[in-house]
Amino acid sequence: MTDPHLALASDIAIWASLAVLALALIFFSAHLAVTGAAREHPGDLKSREKARVGAAAAEEDGAATGARETGHPEPVSPATAAAQPPTLSHPADVTRRWGVMGVQLTWLATFGVVGGTVLRGLSVQRWPLGNMYEFAIVAASFALVVFSTWTLKRDRLWLGPFVVLPVMVILVAGKIWYTEASQLMPALDNTMWLSIHVTLATLSVALFTIGAAVGVAFLVRDSAERRPRVTGWRAGLPEAEKLETMTYGIHIFAFPLWTFTLITGAIWAEVAWGRYWGWDPKEIWTFIIWVFYAAYLHSRATSGWTKRRATYVALVGMLCVILNYTVVNLLITGLHSYSGVA
C-alpha cells in the first residue's frame, strides 16, 4: 500500500530544496569570489575596513563630545546597540558573510531533502531505495548531511560550490528518472539486505562525490599555483597540498565502505539468485569502480606517481560511478535492470 499524500509531500520537499540549494550555490560562489579578490588584493580590503572603522569611531567621538557639552549624555538602548554594526576583528571576516548565508541555506535544504526522503519511505512503508530516483535522493541526503556537519567544526565555506552543484545535478537527474511511489520487485524485497547493501552503496557514492569535489578543487588550485600568481576566485581556495590531503583522507574512509558494498552485494546475490557472482553487468561495474579506487589509493602511496596524476585516477573512478548509475542501469540488460526507472 502506498500513501499518495505523503508521496506528494515528499516531491514538494525535494523540489523546494532544489530551489534553496540554487540560492546557496549563488552565495557560496559569491563568497569564493570575494575571498579570492580579498586575498589577491589584501591591501584594498584592509583600507576599506580601516576607513569604515575610522568613520564609526569619529561618529562615536562626535556624539560623545556633544553629550559632554550639554552635560546630559543620551543613554543608548539595548536595541540601538544591537543595531549598530560590530567592529570586525579581521578583514577576512568581511568575506565570510556570503559563505555563512550559503551554509544556512544548505542546512535548510538538507532538512528538506532528508525530510523528503523520509516521507518517500513512509509513503511506501519501506526503505526508500527501490529505484534510481530513491537512490538519488538518499545519496543526496548523505552528501548534504556530511557536508553540513563538516561545516560545523571547520571552515569549509570554500567547498560549498564544489558540493552543492553536484548534489543539485544528482537531484535533477533523479527527477528526470522519477518513479511513482510503489512496492518493490520480488527479487529486491529483502528488507535486511536492501537496507545494508544499498545504504552502503549510497553512502559510498555520497563520499566519493565529496572526494571528487575536493579533488577538482585541488587540481584547480594546483594549476593556479604553477603560475607566477594565483588570481581570481582560485585565490579563495586553500593551498593545493592541503586540498590533496583532504581528497586522500575522504577516499581512505569511502573505499572500505565500497568494499563492503561489493561483499554484501555478493551475499545478497546468493540469497536472491543462488550464486555469489554471475558476471552481471552491475556486478562487473561495481568491481570496476572498486579497482579504480584501489588503484588511486595505491598510486597515491607510490613514489613514482605524482599526487596530481593519482587524483586523476580517483576522478576516473567517479566517472565509473556515474556510468554505473546511468548507462548500466538504463541501457544494459541484466538481473539488476529492475533497479532502473521502472
Side-chain angles (χ1 to χ4, degrees):
M1 295 293 293
T2 60
D3 189 327
H5 300 291
L6 290 178
L8 178 60
S10 170
D11 296 342
I12 293 174
I14 299 297
W15 277 115
S17 299
L18 259 174
V20 175
L21 284 174
L23 291 176
L25 179 61
I26 294 173
F27 282 115
F28 278 131
S29 301
H31 165 78
L32 197 58
V34 173
T35 302
R39 292 179 180 175
E40 185 179 357
H41 306 288
D44 296 343
L45 183 61
K46 291 180 180 179
S47 299
R48 291 195 299 270
E49 177 61 13
K50 183 177 181 180
R52 191 192 70 80
V53 173
E59 183 178 351
E60 292 177 0
D61 290 342
T65 301
R68 285 194 299 268
E69 290 177 354
T70 58
H72 300 286
E74 182 179 355
V76 179
S77 66
T80 303
Q84 294 177 351
T87 301
L88 300 177
S89 59
H90 192 277
D93 294 337
V94 179
T95 68
R96 289 178 53 83
R97 63 186 65 172
W98 299 104
V100 170
M101 287 188 286
V103 168
Q104 293 170 343
L105 288 170
T106 303
W107 268 107
L108 179 60
T110 299
F111 286 120
V113 174
V114 172
T117 303
V118 172
L119 288 172
R120 175 75 175 199
L122 292 175
S123 69
V124 291
Q125 299 179 2
R126 60 168 172 78
W127 206 253
L129 289 168
N131 50 63
M132 290 176 63
Y133 169 69
E134 293 173 357
F135 188 99
I137 62 176
V138 172
S141 297
F142 278 134
L144 288 173
V145 168
V146 170
F147 170 66
S148 299
T149 304
W150 205 5
T151 61
L152 292 177
K153 296 184 178 182
R154 296 183 182 275
D155 188 356
R156 293 290 180 263
L157 303 179
W158 55 268
L159 185 57
F162 295 92
V163 173
V164 170
L165 181 58
V167 168
M168 290 179 62
V169 172
I170 291 173
L171 290 175
V172 171
K175 283 295 185 181
I176 292 175
W177 300 315
Y178 178 79
T179 303
E180 294 290 343
S182 60
Q183 298 304 311
L184 295 173
M185 299 293 290
L188 198 62
D189 195 5
N190 188 312
T191 303
M192 182 182 72
W193 288 113
L194 176 70
S195 60
I196 295 175
H197 171 66
V198 189
T199 298
L200 284 172
T202 51
L203 179 57
S204 302
V205 168
L207 292 175
F208 284 146
T209 300
I210 296 177
V214 182
V216 170
F218 157 67
L219 294 174
V220 169
R221 176 72 187 198
D222 185 62
S223 298
E225 290 182 359
R226 295 171 184 266
R227 301 173 182 175
R229 184 182 179 186
V230 181
T231 60
W233 61 270
R234 299 169 185 83
L237 297 173
E239 291 75 11
E241 183 177 357
K242 180 180 179 181
L243 290 170
E244 196 282 329
T245 301
M246 292 172 57
T247 303
Y248 181 61
I250 294 171
H251 285 92
I252 282 287
F253 187 76
F255 180 71
L257 294 177
W258 190 257
T259 302
F260 285 120
T261 298
L262 188 63
I263 294 172
T264 56
I267 296 174
W268 191 7
E270 199 280 331
V271 173
W273 302 309
R275 86 289 185 280
Y276 290 98
W277 190 266
W279 298 103
D280 183 73
K282 197 77 170 179
E283 296 172 346
I284 295 173
W285 275 91
T286 301
F287 180 68
I288 290 174
I289 293 169
W290 184 90
V291 168
F292 269 103
Y293 281 113
Y296 161 68
L297 296 178
H298 177 72
S299 61
R300 172 60 169 72
T302 302
S303 58
W305 279 69
T306 64
K307 295 178 179 179
R308 185 179 180 89
R309 289 174 61 193
T311 303
Y312 280 121
V313 176
L315 294 182
V316 173
M318 187 67 222
L319 177 61
C320 291
V321 171
I322 296 172
L323 292 175
N324 185 42
Y325 179 69
T326 56
V327 176
V328 175
N329 276 357
L330 297 173
L331 302 180
I332 301 178
T333 302
L335 293 173
H336 289 79
S337 297
Y338 51 74
S339 63
V341 294

